[in-house]
Amino acid sequence: MNMVLLYGQCNMNAAAAAREYAFQFGRPGVRLPSRNVILAAVNRGFEDGNLIPVLHRGHGQGVAGRPENDQRGQNDERVLNAVEVDPRTSIRIISREENLSYSFVQKVLKRNHLHAFHYRKVQALRPEDYPLLMRFCEIMLNRITEDDTFLDRVLFTDESSFGRDGTFNVHNHHQYALENPHLIVENKHQTRFTTNKWAGIIGDTIIGPIDFPERLTGGFYRDFLENRLGELLQRNRIENDEVIFQHDGAPAHTANATVRALDQLYPQRWIGVPRRDNVPFISWPARSPDLSPLDFFYWGAIKEKIYNSEIRSVEDLEERITQAGAAITGEMLPLVRQNFVKRLRKCIERQGGHFEQFM
């Protein structure tokens, strides 16, 4: 009861209540409640009006305060304290170290609304990246606000490499059977193969995926921009003089020949990473894959489909890429654009820092 009263006195701050409890009642031999234990007691009070854990036996209900209930409460506290000490622990570790059953630990965590949240891999940022990311997002939002057609005219482009092994998550794949079929998935093959693809997204149109060399050179890329890209746009009934071209800072993208070609093809209408005298219409920030629709949507959707089983040959890989690309339709792209704008705002909110974990 004391810890719940202190919780109220501390303006419902469990950490402050735990400190105050230790100050008022701490003495040798007394086990002090952690913030999680205090929150658990408060939650029980809200849920069933009982601050003391109640042990359920069969179809009946134990009486609060009996020895077995005291033991139950102590075990609950041990679980919650373990999480308090190391939030990155696991149910299995707590079960082993506290000599409690796996299911009991799981139920305690669930009853106290404690969830296991996964880490997200993100691109490492440098200190100088934050203001550049902020500036880009602000410029893009201003352009979108001033011109309703602006975002529809941006041709987002990117390249991606696909290999034989890819990412096959064994935890997401299984096979039901009466007996164990002893399934395996081979990886790290001695015979390896890769393929490189280019793709673009503009408005409700997806262009590609198009074959690109594994080692992209400035000469090949310039030739692609000057000759092939125009044909692809025309085939999709897109006026080249309306396009705002975007790409990232890959070496072939920032080569002098590439920049000259972009200035001729898309004067004051291209977005890229600035290099010395290379000044694009809008500067694309380095290390920002979470802002590219190709990265946060298109390539991920394709790879999720093609790596759901073992790839046997380069022909198999190519066929899977083709089929996965065909399954992504223009009907999906309005939501992608909405997500892009949301990402711009979230990036500003995070002052140019990592934001995907808050989406």
Side-chain angles (χ1 to χ4, degrees):
M1 179 65 74
N2 287 328
M3 59 184 176
V4 177
L5 292 175
L6 289 174
Y7 177 77
Q9 293 173 9
C10 293
N11 296 318
M12 293 180 287
N13 184 324
R19 290 193 296 270
E20 184 62 25
Y21 190 99
F23 176 75
Q24 292 190 24
F25 304 104
R27 61 181 184 274
V30 174
R31 192 167 187 173
L32 300 173
S34 67
R35 61 180 295 276
N36 282 335
V37 171
I38 293 175
L39 285 174
V42 172
N43 287 334
R44 283 194 298 271
F46 280 121
E47 291 173 359
D48 56 26
N50 193 347
L51 301 179
I52 303 174
V54 177
L55 182 66
H56 296 275
R57 296 193 299 263
H59 297 289
Q61 191 176 54
V63 180
R66 288 185 178 176
E68 60 267 28
N69 294 313
D70 291 342
Q71 182 63 42
R72 157 75 179 276
Q74 291 173 10
N75 290 340
D76 280 17
E77 186 176 336
R78 287 162 59 195
V79 172
L80 296 173
N81 278 332
V83 175
E84 181 80 13
V85 171
D86 182 8
R88 293 178 295 181
T89 189
S90 68
I91 295 176
R92 196 172 303 280
I93 291 174
I94 297 174
S95 173
R96 182 179 66 247
E97 294 184 349
E98 299 295 336
N99 196 27
L100 299 169
S101 72
Y102 184 96
S103 61
F104 176 82
V105 175
Q106 191 175 43
K107 288 176 182 177
V108 171
L109 296 177
K110 182 177 181 180
R111 188 165 57 247
N112 290 281
H113 311 292
L114 292 171
H115 308 283
F117 296 98
H118 296 283
Y119 286 86
R120 177 188 291 271
K121 288 184 179 181
V122 296
Q123 171 73 56
L125 296 176
R126 300 175 183 174
E128 63 268 25
D129 292 335
Y130 296 93
L132 297 177
L133 282 159
M134 282 273 290
R135 180 62 178 156
F136 169 78
C137 294
E138 290 169 349
I139 291 174
M140 290 296 289
L141 283 176
N142 287 337
R143 294 282 181 178
I144 293 168
T145 302
E146 294 168 359
D147 182 356
D148 292 340
T149 69
F150 178 82
L151 190 54
D152 292 331
R153 294 187 290 118
V154 176
L155 173 60
F156 293 98
T157 72
D158 193 27
E159 300 92 35
S160 183
S161 180
F162 298 83
R164 179 176 190 176
D165 290 332
T167 304
F168 183 90
N169 189 342
V170 295
H171 296 289
N172 294 337
H173 296 85
H174 53 262
Q175 177 177 313
Y176 289 101
L178 293 175
E179 297 182 0
N180 186 353
H182 304 290
L183 302 170
I184 63 171
V185 175
E186 296 179 341
N187 67 356
K188 299 187 182 300
H189 299 85
Q190 289 186 338
T191 303
R192 299 189 178 187
F193 43 79
T194 59
T195 183
N196 201 33
K197 302 293 182 182
W198 175 96
I201 291 178
I202 180 169
D204 292 339
T205 301
I206 299 171
I207 303 174
I210 306 295
D211 288 329
F212 255 39
E214 290 185 29
R215 294 186 178 276
L216 183 60
T217 64
F220 177 93
Y221 192 62
R222 181 197 62 201
D223 182 70
F224 171 79
L225 294 174
E226 292 178 338
N227 300 305
R228 186 85 188 279
L229 181 56
E231 296 175 2
L232 293 170
L233 292 172
Q234 188 175 18
R235 190 182 304 167
N236 286 277
R237 299 180 180 179
I238 297 170
E239 296 294 332
N240 193 54
D241 57 0
E242 294 292 324
V243 170
I244 301 167
F245 182 85
Q246 179 276 334
H247 63 184
D248 61 20
H253 298 178
T254 57
N256 291 332
T258 300
V259 173
R260 287 194 296 269
L262 288 171
D263 283 338
Q264 292 176 358
L265 295 166
Y266 306 100
Q268 291 300 302
R269 287 186 291 112
W270 65 277
I271 302 170
V273 175
R275 289 285 189 274
R276 297 179 183 174
D277 57 346
N278 160 10
V279 182
F281 168 54
I282 295 176
S283 295
W284 179 264
R287 293 170 288 280
S288 55
D290 45 7
L291 289 174
S292 169
L294 277 300
D295 277 309
F296 72 72
F297 167 67
Y298 186 73
W299 296 130
I302 287 182
K303 290 182 178 181
E304 183 178 357
K305 291 180 180 295
I306 69 172
Y307 291 124
N308 59 7
S309 61
E310 186 178 357
I311 296 172
R312 294 295 181 181
S313 65
V314 66
E315 292 79 16
D316 182 24
L317 175 60
E318 292 284 358
E319 178 62 23
R320 293 187 190 203
I321 294 172
T322 300
Q323 291 181 359
I328 302 173
T329 65
E331 296 175 352
M332 304 175 183
L333 298 184
L335 289 178
V336 174
R337 288 195 297 278
Q338 291 178 24
N339 191 277
F340 175 73
V341 173
K342 184 178 179 180
R343 285 167 179 266
L344 295 176
R345 291 175 176 148
K346 187 62 69 173
C347 182
I348 293 173
E349 180 183 313
R350 301 298 302 172
Q351 298 184 337
H354 296 301
F355 61 84
E356 276 197 304
Q357 67 272 34
F358 300 105
M359 294 289 291

